[in-house]
Amino acid sequence: MAVRAMSSCVIFRSPATPPLVVSRRCCCLRQLTASSRHRNRSNTHSFLRCAPYPHSHVTVRIYSVNNLVEMFMEELASIHKRGRVRATSKLELLSTGELLEDKLKKGTLQKGLLLEFKKDSERLLLAVALKPDGKKNWMVSDQNGITTSIKPQQVTFIVPGAENFEPTEISEFVQKAHDNLDPALLEFAWNELLEKNKSVTVQELAEMIFGSAEPLETYCAHLLLSRDEVYFAVLESKGLSVYGPRTANQVDELLRRKLAKETAEKEFEELIQFLRSAKQMPPQDKIPRFSWKAEEKTWYKIESLEAFAIDSCKNDDQKKTAGMILKAMGLAKTSSSAVNLLIDIGYFPVHVNLDLLKLNLPTDHRDEILSATESLLSASTDLDEADRIDLTHLKVYAIDVDEADELDDALSATRLQDGRIKIWIHIADPTSLVQPGSIIDKDARRRGTSIFLPTATYPMFPERLAMEGMSLQQGKLCNAVSVSVVLRSDGSIAEYSVENSIIKPTYMLTYESATELLHLNLEEEIELKILSEAAALRLRWRQEQGAIDTATLETRIKVTNPDHPEPSIKLYVENQADAAMRLVSEMMILCGEVIATFGSHNNIPLPYRGQPQSNIDTSAFAHLPEGPVRSAAIVRTMRAAEMDFRNPIRHGVLGLPGYVQFTSPIRRYMDLAAHYQVKAFLRGDSPPLSAGELEGIASTVNMTTRVVRKLSSSSLRYWILEYLRRQPKGKRFRALVLRFIKDRIAAILLTEIGVQASSWVSIGVQIGGEVDVQVEEAHPRDDILSLKEVEVV
């Protein structure tokens, strides 16, 4: 067992030295083994040597530890009686044992008494008692010259003997006390008191280590004891604080903890200095994010700061750690401060997507999923190969946005001899690779949907599986489920079929290029023209069935380098009433109607979708201009969609007796589930999912889908505001007045941007009217967009 003792002590004595400096000083402490503490006194080499100190009038006497200890113990014994009398006198103990501290609580504190009190949770100050303040409180003048009223509970120590102290003397008293503190003296005293199994009062300790129990020495002893966390424990004896030495084992453990604490504090301070340095670095020199993970201790602190920034701390320790970092950096303890700090040090990019981090949605695929993907692609077994019809002779158009990674639908059309139009809607067939209940299927179900953000796409399936195994690819043989429909002249369905197929896509077109081809009216692209004609028939037929046209402007943004402080932003505004977009949407709706009819006729449990229309009277909106104004007004009155898993339900908004989403099985899990059900029927098997199982799956998937939809919406708005923030000051934007919110504050649609906002508009402007506005403020992080109407030129 290791204990600590003093090998030698140097005692300085000089006639000119104040009493405290003439005190005994422990100059060298070392650890000794327990056996050394039970030393053989006969073998101790005692000596006394006097030598002149380099400075004048000072004599240095060096004693062996045993001589010095014996001297101390003798002196302590000799002053024991007078020390107690002295202590009693200076503490002003009454016959009942009542302390001066008790007198304070009873309001009998005397003027001129020097005391220590707790100013707040972190500060202790010395003060002189001036006069009572009410029944219990006292007015005091502290070491900073401030007069204040204190409660009895605030007093932590009364300096014995300092009875007529002047406030002007406090500062010098404090300075002398702090200049002469030596924690090593406490260790020396502990060693000796532990060996003798004795406890001490503050004054007795002052006598022991300073050779005096005057006010200054006693206060120094109090400071040493009150700051001590290792050597002594407080014992209470009739209201008088008595300090007992802890055991050697306890001291060793406390020293170990103290060292660990000091090490942690040093590491923390080094981190703070590093963070300050990182803040000052230019953007190109910032530390890469992965580098912060190199050291575990540092990573935990940064991870705690990140968790605090996105309101996802796992425990109180993370909150505490983040709060300490922010305080040390001089920042407010708020999530926004944490975000800004992480941006400043380069851990977060300037345009970090906080919503994506907060939602903790899966963006990468686990290794086991990637491994299973490779196995599927290498095996490439198609259970439906023998049943696929060959449709490679058809001209196939795949139309989507220009940055689409997954193509899961394509179209073909022809005109029959009787003049009717026959359409094929080809849907990618992921079930030719993935089976229900497989590891990849379960992972896709957990994700629910692909996530499309301006900055990135996070696919439901692993990218290689989605792109190479499932997606429709131009000029290549592709497995599909083809829904063929023959339309009557009024746009209703005359006949239909659902079959496994193999196709060879001819064109991969963007909406813009498809629209251009339609306008060119090329004879060699007659099939595209037929598709457009079929879309017009279908829209007219659906409107006759009560469908509501909600076509409006839709904004897409593509950010090519999102981690750069000034990333490149490309903004597209698409009119959903555009010919190509109308063509594709009508064909997808047609496919949904066919699958609902097919499922109903064959008693197949499917995720049937419906939307009530009972409270929508479209005639009430006839006075509004067609397009975005009327659509916005109608959308505000729509009720939420509903689902049934046994029978189709009317979709009033689409004007259909039944509807099933079926056209995006690579991107949406419920579409994939519908494929499982239909494909099983085509093979002559029982559906793999019951209606109840479908309902349970839909409950979970739809919840995830709503979260992703909200994320996509917030991310799009962020980048729209960032786009507007960068526009030249004073730039004008054309806006359409959708409705009035209050007085002259209107909801408007920036037609060149495709975003809704609000702005004050002048008198005379009506709903459906146009105004010019300028951006006054655009703050993406705070979701602030302030617009001002300007005079139309």
Side-chain angles (χ1 to χ4, degrees), residues 24 70-86 198 207 211:
R24 299 169 177 85
E70 290 169 1
M71 180 189 72
F72 280 160
M73 292 301 103
E74 290 171 3
E75 184 176 351
L76 188 59
S78 69
I79 67 170
H80 184 70
K81 293 181 180 179
R82 74 172 186 272
R84 287 196 179 276
V85 173
R86 202 168 176 185
K198 290 186 176 181
E207 285 281 4

Side-chain angles (χ1 to χ4, degrees), residues 92 99-119 126-142 146-155 158 162-165 167:
E92 297 188 15
L99 296 176
L100 194 56
E101 297 173 58
D102 297 324
K103 294 174 67 177
L104 174 67
K105 296 176 183 177
K106 294 184 177 181
T108 58
L109 180 61
Q110 296 177 356
K111 179 182 178 181
L113 192 65
L114 182 63
L115 55 85
E116 181 187 74
F117 74 97
K118 183 178 289 188
K119 178 71 173 178
L126 275 183
V128 173
L130 298 179
K131 62 180 180 179
D133 182 29
K135 293 184 178 181
K136 296 183 179 180
N137 296 353
W138 267 79
M139 296 298 296
V140 299
S141 178
D142 66 31
I146 298 174
T147 300
T148 186
S149 176
I150 64 171
K151 300 176 181 179
Q153 304 93 287
Q154 291 178 257
V155 177
I158 301 175
E163 300 173 3
N164 297 296
F165 218 84

Side-chain angles (χ1 to χ4, degrees), residues 42-57:
S42 62
N43 293 332
T44 303
H45 300 284
S46 303
F47 62 90
L48 171 64
R49 178 163 55 104
C50 296
Y53 196 70
H55 301 287
S56 61
H57 308 298

Side-chain angles (χ1 to χ4, degrees), residues 496-527:
Y496 70 86
S497 68
V498 180
E499 299 172 288
N500 292 307
S501 66
I502 184 167
I503 63 172
K504 189 176 183 180
T506 312
Y507 295 117
M508 297 295 183
L509 302 175
T510 64
Y511 288 114
E512 292 82 0
S513 59
T515 298
E516 186 176 350
L517 281 176
L518 286 171
H519 287 161
L520 290 174
N521 197 21
L522 299 176
E523 188 63 31
E524 55 269 30
E525 301 301 335
I526 186 64
E527 294 85 354

Side-chain angles (χ1 to χ4, degrees), residues 354-410:
L354 295 175
D355 289 336
L356 180 61
L357 295 176
K358 289 177 182 180
L359 295 171
N360 196 29
L361 294 169
T363 54
D364 297 324
H365 289 85
R366 305 190 306 273
D367 289 343
E368 59 182 333
I369 302 299
L370 297 177
S371 178
T373 291
E374 295 305 317
S375 298
L376 282 179
L377 291 174
S378 60
S380 62
T381 302
D382 179 13
L383 298 177
D384 305 303
E385 185 175 3
D387 297 327
R388 293 191 185 280
I389 61 172
D390 188 347
L391 297 179
T392 56
H393 62 283
L394 294 176
K395 183 180 287 187
V396 177
Y397 298 91
I399 306 172
D400 211 326
V401 294
D402 56 355
E403 69 269 13
D405 297 320
E406 309 154 346
L407 292 172
D408 45 19
D409 57 75

